[in-house]
Structure formats: structure tokens, C-alpha cells
Amino acid sequence: MRNLLDFRNYTPAEIEELLDRAAAIKANPEKFKDILAGKKLYMLFEKTSTRTFLSFSTGMTELGGTYYNQLWEQSNFVLGDTISELRYVGRNVDIIMARLKRNEMVELMGKNTTVPFINGCDNSFHPCQALADLLKVKEQFGTLAVNFLYIGAKNNVLNSLVDSLPRLGGKLYSLTPIVNDTGVPEEFYEKAKETGNYVEIDPSISMEELKKIVKDMDVLYTDTWVDMEFFNNPAFAKQKEETIAKMMPYQINDELLEGSKAIVLHDMPMHIGYEISQSVVDKNLDHILDQAENRRHVEKAVMVTLLEDENTKKYFEN
């Protein structure tokens, strides 16, 4: 049995296979409509969600299975022993997806689950989002060997891109004036740098130099600067104000993109007027929506792969 907590235990070939399967399922949904018939997915949400809930629920339904959704605060995970609760859930379903606040809880569940377990997002990693991003890049350019610049907070989304794209032949650059608490050690980034395909840009870079870099990019990517859980929370108002003031010079806007042919991606939800301008959103919305839609397709591929048996393998045979 295998889980998807992050990509550290996946080879480049295995990540490529997930992308290939996602592309196949996306291209011919009718062929795969019964591949998970009779299978049951349990979804547990400690963090708020639009894309994760909708993509997993519609994805499982489109594969012939069923899903069950539960909020963390309405479950006995709040009250009881985590391992016994988890194993009870495993007695009733075939696969579990959890969107949790802390990676420590994801790791605990991953070690103790009795059915395949998917990390739907935590503070350290967001693997399904990265797969959706990679599928969009491959669809757009026909290859992952692209120049890709992430501008924003050093967070879970960037971590999953660092965990994948450099090993798949893409050149990933990051400009991260803000560093979130992701619990990932510095060795994680150093290992990615050793591939020669991950470069961290000094935040003190001049706008003139940054614009030169942008002109050579195929993809610019940004994410919300302030975690969605905190954006409208009065307790974090001061931190939000300080973060926005520090990050505003790095907004992805028309001035930054002048002379660049790069497409712009955003994992959503967007704070327009902060990390990205309305004009750039208007020009790139189709790309951003392609990227968001791909969550459903890659998550289908993940579920099918984690639940693979002799029957499901036949669906991918030529």
C-alpha cells in the first residue's frame, strides 16, 4: 500500500506516470467512468477549501466511486485518539484524503493508516496542487523543461514545486521575501539546488535585474501572500499589514511583465490587487482556470494509482 504525502518517496518516473495518467483520464473521461466503481473516499477538512473539496468529490464520482465529507470540528478526531479514529475510518472506506493544518498530523496519519492516504494540503506540502501545475505546464509547452519563476511567500505550494519540477528537468527560480513556517529544514532546499535546477533569487535584487530575469521565463507563478485562514482574521491584522507592505514591490503586474512572453499561473484563491494585478489576471485567467481544473484530473490519477489492481492497470494499456 502506498500514500501520497509529498514527492520525497516518488521517483521522477513515478511523478511523470501520474501526469501521463492524468492526461489520459482528462482526454477520455468516458473510458475511465467505472474504473473505481464501488470504491469509497473519505475526505477530512481541518482547513477551508473550494478546489480540494470540489476536485476530489467530482473526481471520485466521475470515476464511478462515492465520497463522504467531514469537517474536522464535526468529527471525533477533535476528541479521540487519532490513530484509533483513523483506523476506524479505514474499516469503512477504501481511501482517505485529509486537508490538515500541520504536517505532523499528516505524517502521523500516513504512518498509521490502513488504506491509502492522500495529503490534500498541510503547512509543509501541497502535492496535488503541484501536480496540477505541472500538468498545465506540460499541456502548454509540451515539456517540463521550462524556465519557471515563483514570486511570493516561501510556503507549502513552493515546497511541492521544489520537491518535483527540478527533478523533472524544469529550471525553478524562487523569489521569496516572506518565509512561512512550513517546518521544512534548509537541507530540503539545498538538495534541490544540487540538481542545478533550483535557484533562489536574493530579495534585495533590483527591479531592473528582476525584469531581465522575467524576460527569460516561460512561467511566472504566484500565490497569496497571507494564508487564507488569516487574511480576514483581526488577530493577524498587523502581520497582514506588514506582509503586504513588504511584498507589494513584487506584485506580478504589467510593468514587471513588460517584454516577457511568460504565462502567469496562480493556484487560487486570488487576492487581486495584492500578489497579482487585475490586468494580469484578465490576460491569464484561462491559464489559471486550466491549472485549477487540472486539480480534478491529477487527483483522479492519484486515486486510481493508489488503489491500483490488475483490473485498473488494464485501463491504461494501449
Side-chain angles (χ1 to χ4, degrees):
M1 186 189 78
R2 197 168 194 190
N3 302 321
L4 178 64
L5 307 187
D6 50 59
F7 298 123
R8 287 178 290 183
N9 293 320
Y10 279 72
T11 66
E14 288 169 333
I15 300 171
E16 289 272 15
E17 182 179 24
L18 287 174
L19 296 175
D20 290 344
R21 286 186 166 193
I25 293 170
K26 181 177 182 179
N28 192 357
E30 187 67 18
K31 177 181 177 181
F32 297 93
K33 67 178 182 179
D34 298 316
I35 191 171
L36 294 185
K39 299 297 184 181
K40 299 184 289 290
L41 164 70
Y42 173 77
M43 301 191 294
L44 180 64
F45 287 91
E46 188 179 16
K47 291 169 64 76
T48 60
S49 171
T50 300
R51 272 147 295 282
T52 300
F53 168 73
L54 194 57
S55 57
F56 269 104
S57 59
T58 56
M60 188 54 151
T61 302
E62 289 172 356
L63 296 173
T66 55
Y67 70 89
Y68 305 91
N69 183 56
Q70 190 160 49
L71 300 179
W72 178 267
E73 62 269 23
Q74 294 176 357
S75 77
N76 280 337
F77 281 99
V78 177
L79 304 172
D81 170 65
T82 299
I83 295 173
S84 58
E85 288 293 308
L86 179 71
R87 290 185 176 172
Y88 165 72
V89 172
R91 291 283 186 99
N92 293 274
V93 301
D94 301 285
I95 190 166
I96 296 170
M97 186 285 298
R99 183 175 169 93
L100 305 175
K101 291 182 179 179
R102 302 300 301 181
N103 180 253
E104 293 87 348
M105 182 60 75
V106 168
E107 291 286 344
L108 178 66
M109 290 188 172
K111 288 177 182 176
N112 290 282
T113 186
T114 54
V115 297
F117 183 92
I118 302 169
N119 177 7
C121 181
D122 63 31
N123 66 307
S124 296
F125 297 104
H126 200 344
C128 293
Q129 180 61 56
L131 287 171
D133 302 337
L134 296 175
L135 182 58
K136 169 58 184 174
V137 169
K138 200 165 185 180
E139 290 171 333
Q140 186 72 28
F141 299 99
T143 179
L144 292 174
V146 297
N147 289 320
F148 189 115
L149 171 59
Y150 173 98
I151 301 178
K154 184 177 272 190
N155 62 10
N156 55 354
V157 172
L158 173 62
N159 287 348
S160 285
L161 289 169
V162 172
D163 204 13
S164 54
L165 183 59
R167 292 194 287 141
L168 296 168
K171 191 76 176 272
L172 175 62
Y173 299 80
S174 71
L175 174 58
T176 56
I178 297 292
V179 178
N180 289 356
D181 174 21
T182 68
V184 173
E186 189 59 33
E187 292 78 19
F188 171 81
Y189 304 102
E190 294 303 318
K191 186 176 179 180
K193 290 175 186 176
E194 289 173 5
T195 67
N197 284 336
Y198 176 56
V199 177
E200 294 184 348
I201 299 172
D202 189 329
S204 66
I205 188 173
S206 69
M207 280 296 117
E208 181 180 351
E209 288 301 311
L210 180 57
K211 287 179 181 179
K212 289 180 182 178
I213 293 173
V214 169
K215 286 182 181 179
D216 291 330
M217 293 298 111
D218 301 298
V219 180
L220 259 67
Y221 191 117
T222 191
D223 189 9
T224 180
W225 296 334
V226 180
D227 192 297
M228 286 296 173
E229 293 177 81
F230 308 135
F231 196 83
N232 294 316
N233 187 333
F236 291 87
K238 186 173 185 296
Q239 179 183 335
K240 172 185 170 182
E241 182 180 329
E242 291 173 352
T243 297
I244 290 172
K246 190 170 186 177
M247 291 298 299
M248 277 305 293
Y250 306 97
Q251 181 189 75
I252 296 184
N253 53 35
D254 288 331
E255 182 182 358
L256 181 64
L257 287 163
E258 186 178 358
S260 172
K261 295 181 180 179
I263 66 168
V264 177
L265 299 179
H266 192 305
D267 61 325
M268 303 180 77
M270 296 181 280
H271 288 130
I272 297 174
Y274 293 94
E275 70 269 9
I276 191 168
S277 71
Q278 182 67 65
S279 175
V280 171
V281 171
D282 291 343
K283 293 172 185 174
N284 290 273
L285 186 56
D286 283 343
H287 294 310
I288 293 168
L289 292 177
D290 287 344
Q291 174 191 9
E293 180 192 333
N294 278 349
R295 285 285 300 279
R296 185 168 93 254
H297 306 301
V298 298
E299 287 160 7
K300 286 181 179 182
V302 169
M303 289 189 286
V304 167
T305 299
L306 295 183
L307 290 170
E308 187 170 73
D309 57 25
E310 291 305 314
N311 177 59
T312 57
K313 284 182 182 179
K314 295 176 183 177
Y315 281 79
F316 296 99
E317 293 175 357
N318 293 328

